Amino acid sequence: MTKTRFQIVGSLLRPTDLLDYKTQIEKRDDISYPFYNDLPGYQTVESADVKTIIAEEKAHGLDVLTDGEYTKSMWHLDFIWGFGGVERYIADHGYTFEDHDGGDFETRKDIGVRITAPLSGKNHHFIDIYKNLKAQAGDNDVKLTVWGAAHAFTELALIDHLYGPDEVYKTADELKAGLINAYKEFLTEYKDAGGQIIQFDDCLWELFADDNQQSFFSEGNGSLADLADDFVAINNAVADYGHELGLKVWTHNCRGNYESRHAASGSYAAIAQKFLHDQHYDRFFLEWDDERAGDITALKALQDRPNVEVVLGLLSSKTNTLDDEDRVYRLLNQASDILGKDRLYLSHQCGFASCDSGNELTQEQEWAKIDQGQKIAAAFWA
């Protein structure tokens, strides 16, 4: 399917003219997704910038294209905002990330979600986003990146508690069933529109790692093993349905990425059997840009799944300098000894702009890092 062994996770830094509109979105909850009717000129600027970024991706040799996620405000919530039965609002607090000095860092606050009616994935704006991307991709493959279903359920149910006597869904199981059904409705229409690759992004696997001291599950949120089983079952229900439709079903996992900061630790070794081996994805994009990920030998969990591919996020999208190539080659060689070279790809650990504000580097530095990734991949897989 792909010709280059270097991949991008999805998001790229937004240009200034687009950020002017995105900043307005962040500060307002009197507007409705996708915001075009509320912000005159926004759709025109977005469309022009999407056209430019697709052309730049092609020019830099990428062959699985995204729209740079320019059509999103955040890597995850836009997908839920596009469901029927959802309202967004500005919450009292944003998400908590770890700052560069080890203290707390608060993200943007327009993360509040209300469920006002049974969830529906039909007539989703992301279908229009896909059609526009595909029309400009030429002979290249394209992918849509959406919020992983289990991560969405965890946030809606366990964190936001959007079920109960006064909610649309009376129990957590009803909410789970409604959410999975909405994902299936979306995937059906995505396939009908010509979609071939869907990538589910997910930042919560490491909350189940016993070596992650930042997991909120350590505060008494029930049996860790039971929660992990439920988490994997949700993702597999959606992935299996995607496979039934004939889709390639990929996933990306990291430990948070917001303005060059992370949210959690936790090694892959601690969760490898359940979250690598037992999840039914065709391709795993895995964050391995620093020591938080642990030893590369965690990949042994995939040795008996020969059709599964791994994109090693050995490069960092959080820094403004080029990456240590000796480290990248060393880990690529180690991973090849475990899975074989033909099952591996290379990427950065995450996108360059999981949310609009983006990481702490320039667009010139971003493309230099992408070009470095292409160079390393070409040499390693020569």
Side-chain angles (χ1 to χ4, degrees), residues 234-290:
I234 293 169
N235 280 344
N236 283 344
V238 175
D240 290 348
Y241 186 75
H243 287 140
E244 290 174 18
L245 294 173
L247 295 170
K248 290 287 186 182
V249 185
W250 298 353
T251 190
H252 164 252
N253 169 256
C254 75
R255 296 159 184 80
N257 180 42
Y258 190 91
E259 296 182 10
S260 292
R261 294 159 174 86
H262 67 261
S265 57
S267 71
Y268 282 118
I271 58 171
Q273 181 62 34
K274 194 169 296 294
F275 287 89
L276 298 183
H277 182 273
D278 292 350
Q279 293 201 99
H280 299 171
Y281 294 115
D282 304 306
R283 183 177 291 184
F284 288 80
F285 285 71
L286 301 177
E287 176 185 56
W288 237 301
D289 64 324
D290 63 24

Side-chain angles (χ1 to χ4, degrees), residues 111-123:
I111 64 171
V113 171
R114 298 185 186 96
I115 298 177
T116 61
L119 297 173
S120 173
K122 294 181 178 180
N123 303 311

